[in-house]
Amino acid sequence: MDLDKLTAGFRQVMEGLGLDPEDPHLKDTPLKTARAWYEDICAGLGEAEIGLQVYPVEEGQQTGLIALQHIPVKSLCAHHLLPFVGYATVGFLPGNYYCGLSHLSRVVNHFARRPQMQELLTHQVAQFLSDRLAPRGVGVAVQASHYCMELRGVNHSGIMNTSVMLGAMRDDPGLRAEFLALAPNSRKT
Ligand SMILES: [Zn+2]
């Protein structure tokens, strides 16, 4: 990422809108906006590969489904560059490895903090965990509100649900149901 190019770009957007660049409230806006994109909104683009810390599962200590709920999803729709925000539930059925639960949030954040599509985000998180943890199954469910639907076009409340299940989570109806009962779209919040 290039902070100078971002700043120049946001300045052009403001010029395109016909705004006065000398207005005291707007003077620093291109740089502030560029910093927000660089440091937070698109931070995933600047991150190196995530080092997922894994721990071996001891003999005879196999567990069932491990899931983390209510993981914040804060992303930017790739088609309109408007936010989509919501929550993810990520679960896996360990094979030979565990990982720290906080790492699940970090993986979601890494793939969310960039221009993204919710379907692809859901898939990328599931595939990443499948590749790195070699679990017996993995599930990712995301529910997010899309501002590109809320602020433009149909002005509709744009809540979207996506899920990806791999391995036993996809093939075993009991496990699938157990995971989906934890997913954000099963709650009334
Ligand atoms: Zn959009």
Side-chain angles (χ1 to χ4, degrees):
M1 277 188 289
D2 184 324
L3 188 62
D4 291 341
K5 272 192 180 169
L6 276 171
T7 308
F10 286 120
R11 191 169 291 121
Q12 276 201 328
V13 168
M14 289 175 57
E15 282 171 21
L17 291 169
L19 299 173
D20 172 9
E22 296 309 318
D23 180 303
H25 294 296
L26 299 176
K27 213 160 37 75
D28 299 327
T29 301
L31 179 59
K32 281 185 180 164
T33 310
R35 280 217 179 108
W37 279 51
Y38 188 91
E39 292 167 8
D40 292 299
I41 299 167
C42 291
L45 291 173
E47 273 176 2
E49 269 279 275
I50 321 165
L52 195 66
Q53 209 172 356
V54 300
Y55 311 97
V57 174
E58 301 291 330
E59 187 73 33
Q61 292 191 352
Q62 286 285 357
T63 67
L65 175 64
I66 295 176
L68 187 64
Q69 290 173 290
H70 231 247
I71 301 171
V73 170
K74 296 172 186 179
S75 192
L76 206 56
C77 136
H79 298 148
H80 302 96
L81 299 182
L82 287 168
F84 65 92
V85 294
Y87 291 97
T89 294
V90 176
F92 67 101
L93 196 67
N96 295 323
Y97 299 101
Y98 293 121
C99 76
L101 277 187
S102 66
H103 286 246
L104 299 180
S105 312
R106 206 180 303 165
V107 172
V108 170
N109 224 24
H110 176 73
F111 289 110
R113 295 299 191 138
R114 62 188 68 204
Q116 182 57 286
M117 287 171 63
Q118 187 179 327
E119 306 90 305
L120 206 57
L121 165 68
T122 313
H123 178 78
Q124 286 171 345
V125 173
Q127 195 59 54
F128 181 87
L129 291 171
S130 179
D131 292 345
R132 297 302 169 90
L133 283 179
R136 285 175 288 150
V138 61
V140 180
V142 178
Q143 182 177 64
S145 183
H146 288 249
Y147 283 80
C148 63
M149 277 185 74
E150 303 209 2
L151 297 178
R152 53 169 286 286
V154 287
N155 274 294
H156 188 269
S157 134
I159 294 176
M160 180 171 170
N161 288 286
T162 48
S163 66
V164 169
M165 276 162 274
L166 304 173
M169 206 84 87
R170 179 191 54 211
D171 302 333
D172 179 328
L175 263 174
R176 198 183 163 89
E178 186 184 346
F179 174 73
L180 286 175
L182 301 170
N185 56 1
S186 67
R187 288 197 304 271
K188 295 206 172 358
T189 51

